[in-house]
Amino acid sequence: QVQLVESGGGLVQAGGSLRLSCAASRSIGSINAMGWYRQAPGKQRELVARITSGSSTNYADSVKGRFTIVGDNAKNTVYLQMNSLKPEDTAVYYCTAQRWTTDSPRYDYWGQGTQVTVSS
């Protein structure tokens, strides 16, 4: 079981920055992968960024070069640094933790979401 608590959302002007935090209830080293998804009104939830326990990362094309995902094992927290924000980044951002083993399928845990609003 993994509980996730997100923070750091808010209102920012275009071109500004925000840092989202996702605190996990257990060591993130024991979690296969963690990531951030977002969902804008009327749109499907989409992957923004993901980091594995081996520190491999991948990003949506729309955020490459602007967003960075990092993990802090000491704090059991994953961060999403968002720079050069655009109005189209406006969405509810969700943290997710993914766990699987050779004997069990992947299971996704989700946080409650945090609103990010970018004004033009």
Side-chain angles (χ1 to χ4, degrees):
Q1 190 80 355
V2 182
Q3 282 81 46
L4 303 170
V5 178
E6 300 122 328
S7 60
L11 173 64
V12 64
Q13 288 188 332
S17 298
L18 283 174
R19 188 179 76 161
L20 305 183
S21 301
C22 175
S25 61
R26 62 184 300 153
S27 169
I28 62 174
S30 69
I31 299 171
N32 300 85
M34 294 187 69
W36 290 93
Y37 283 70
R38 68 186 180 187
Q39 187 166 20
K43 295 188 177 181
Q44 289 190 330
R45 190 172 296 189
E46 63 174 357
L47 174 68
V48 176
R50 184 173 178 262
I51 184 167
T52 69
S53 56
S55 297
S56 296
T57 58
N58 61 286
Y59 297 90
D61 288 343
S62 60
V63 307
K64 283 181 181 176
R66 300 189 297 122
F67 291 11
T68 303
I69 187 170
V70 296
D72 185 335
N73 289 341
K75 295 182 178 180
N76 294 337
T77 299
V78 171
Y79 301 97
L80 183 68
Q81 179 66 44
M82 306 186 293
N83 298 328
S84 302
L85 283 161
K86 304 175 181 179
E88 51 263 43
D89 294 318
T90 295
V92 178
Y93 284 69
Y94 297 91
C95 178
T96 183
Q98 300 166 345
R99 300 191 74 207
W100 66 86
T101 70
T102 54
D103 299 321
S104 61
R106 191 181 101 181
Y107 188 88
D108 294 355
Y109 300 88
W110 294 91
Q112 80 283 0
T114 185
Q115 177 70 45
V116 171
T117 302
V118 184
S119 64
S120 58

